[in-house]
Amino acid sequence: MAEAVYTQIADDLRDQIAAGALRPGDDVPTEAELAERWHTSRGPIRNALAALRAEGLIETSRGRPARVVARKANQAVDVSVPFTRWARDLGVAPGAQTQELSLRRAGEMAPALDVRPDDTIVSVVRLRLLDGRPTMLERLNYTEAAGRKLFDVDLDEVSITEHLSSVGHPIVSLQHVIDAVAADEQDAALLRVARGTPILRLNRTSRDADGRIFEASEDRYLSEVVRFTVAASGISTDGHYMRAVGG
């Protein structure tokens, strides 16, 4: 019986959030209010709130009511999907504000791009937006042959991945490495967060059909907006680890 009550409570709150009766930032009714409304003890209430918290619909903290949060946009990391296409698939408008497009010496980026330190590379810093909201800061680095193609287009208006593919530099294989870092001064200014705020970092290495690296980039996402997901092909022979599809 308790399980049925908690499920009903969770469904009701979920429906209110979906309908906009409870919007991001709104306080969820307190445990006492919900217990009175549903004529139940606080156990089922806490189970219902825990379920919504696990779904990413609410957040809880000691000493204050649960609060509705904006649903995070899922970003699959086992495949390569351009930000522009990903945003449109989500039903939101993608945006871009280019901060820098430059030719420079590879320097410390040389090992990542498999070039010499004195070789010329192309670097891009670009802020990405979802429905006008700052969401991700790109720090992109390309070999000269691929990167020079970017000077021919307005980077605020195109998908760089799709443009490079159309001019002979498609991504044939890639590797992603994910971790969390503290926002630096540039992150803080452009993503509109406090310096030191935890953000998600996605490092990407892209290779062409011959296996040569032509891109070594770093995307920094607001963790409150985006979460990463990985598809898996099954349980390994030792029964403990999953293998990401696409490697």
Side-chain angles (χ1 to χ4, degrees), residues 7 11 39 46 55 80 82 85 92-93 108 117 123 142 153 160-161 164 169 176 189 203 212 234 239:
T7 301
D11 287 345
H39 306 291
R46 289 169 181 164
E55 294 172 23
S80 176
R85 189 194 314 164
V92 298
E108 63 184 16
S123 294
Y142 298 94
V153 293
I160 290 179
T161 300
L164 289 180
H169 297 280
H176 284 150
N203 286 298
R212 293 189 295 261

Side-chain angles (χ1 to χ4, degrees), residues 101 122 124 142 146-153 155 160 163-164:
L101 172 61
V122 175
V124 178
Y142 298 94
R148 280 191 178 273
K149 305 293 185 181
L150 302 180
F151 288 89
D152 301 330
V153 293
L155 298 185
I160 290 179
H163 172 66
L164 289 180

